[in-house]
């Protein structure tokens, strides 16, 4: 079982048991995976991706009682996303040219190298204050827009942009290699 599968399945189980915070986190995480999945497969440059994400999340919510707890969660969620995409393409009168049978596109397996990279990234981001770290994680890692992340964390759009810029600049200054003369490059 992959890390992502285990994490999402745990959230789903907690959500089914009445944990509203876990349910919200599950839907948020799924949305972050579904957006690029749909954008890559749509013929209109991804214009309808957000609508498909919402339709899929609503279907997952409505059909949650049909999920078998003994089965993998991501395969079940992927099947719903796949059906929503096919229904959308049929309504548009188009036939998909991308293979739709691979759940790995939506929930890729994590390798040992991915785990090491994730651990390094966690250590680096831990250097930031918690609010800034969560903002960076939402925008740069989970794929939320700056506006979505700002709303989630109580920032104005401008304040979120400034915070992200300053956080990235601070991390870059700390971890970027020094120039040949030993001085750090200026922005």
């Amino acid at each position: 079982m992959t890390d992502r599968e285990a994490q999402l399945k745990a959230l789903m189980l907690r959500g089914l048991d009445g944990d509203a915070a876990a349910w919200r986190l599950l839907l948020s995480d799924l949305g972050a995976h579904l957006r690029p999945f749909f954008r890559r497969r749509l013929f209109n440059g991804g214009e309808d991706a957000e609508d498909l994400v919402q339709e899929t999340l609503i279907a997952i919510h409505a059909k949650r009682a049909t999920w078998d707890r003994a089965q993998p969660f991501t395969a079940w969620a992927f099947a719903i996303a796949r059906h929503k995409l096919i229904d959308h393409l049929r309504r548009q009168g188009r036939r998909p040219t991308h293979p739709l049978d691979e759940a790995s596109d939506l929930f890729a397996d994590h390798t040992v190298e991915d785990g090491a990279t994730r651990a390094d990234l966690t250590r680096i981001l831990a250097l930031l204050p918690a609010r800034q770290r969560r903002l960076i994680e939402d925008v740069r890692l989970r794929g939320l827009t700056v506006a979505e992340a700002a709303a989630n964390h109580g920032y104005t759009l401008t304040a979120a942009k400034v915070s992200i810029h300053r956080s990235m600049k601070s991390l870059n200054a700390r971890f970027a290699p020094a120039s040949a003369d030993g001085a750090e490059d200026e922005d």
Side-chain angles (χ1 to χ4, degrees):
M1 183 181 314
T2 66
D3 292 343
R4 179 49 84 195
E5 167 65 26
Q7 179 186 17
L8 293 174
K9 186 172 185 175
L11 288 171
M12 178 65 167
L13 290 169
R14 288 177 32 212
L16 288 174
D17 292 337
D19 185 339
W23 188 250
R24 280 190 302 275
L25 184 58
L26 172 69
L27 295 179
S28 175
D29 282 358
L30 284 174
H33 287 287
L34 291 168
R35 279 178 193 86
F37 170 78
F38 287 127
R39 282 185 190 126
R40 285 191 305 269
R41 287 163 174 76
L42 293 173
F43 299 98
N44 61 5
E47 288 178 15
D48 298 325
E50 192 59 35
D51 290 340
L52 283 168
V53 168
Q54 295 307 315
E55 285 180 34
T56 302
L57 294 177
I58 289 168
I60 287 170
H61 180 77
K63 305 267 187 219
R64 66 189 181 275
T66 66
W67 176 62
D68 179 355
R69 291 172 181 243
Q71 296 299 315
F73 171 72
T74 54
W76 179 81
F78 171 76
I80 292 173
R82 181 177 174 268
H83 288 288
K84 290 297 177 186
L85 178 62
I86 290 169
D87 290 345
H88 173 78
L89 294 173
R90 283 182 181 149
R91 284 191 304 269
Q92 301 296 314
R94 303 257 173 101
R95 298 211 180 264
T97 58
H98 299 287
L100 296 176
D101 295 347
E102 294 297 322
S104 62
D105 287 347
L106 184 54
F107 301 102
D109 289 338
H110 295 288
T111 64
V112 172
E113 185 177 308
D114 292 337
T117 301
R118 195 173 320 112
D120 289 343
L121 185 57
T122 300
R123 279 193 302 275
I124 289 169
L125 290 176
L127 298 171
L128 295 172
R131 278 188 83 202
Q132 290 174 324
R133 180 178 64 247
R134 287 191 298 267
L135 192 62
I136 294 285
E137 289 170 344
D138 280 354
V139 174
R140 298 293 175 108
L141 302 178
R142 292 189 182 99
L144 296 181
T145 66
V146 176
E148 291 169 330
N152 288 348
H153 299 290
Y155 282 91
T156 64
L157 180 59
T158 303
K161 287 179 181 180
V162 169
S163 179
I164 291 169
H165 174 76
R166 288 181 179 165
S167 297
M168 295 304 290
K169 186 174 180 179
S170 169
L171 292 174
N172 189 44
R174 183 158 184 172
F175 293 101
S179 62
D181 63 332
E184 303 230 355
D185 293 334
E186 296 287 323
D187 233 359

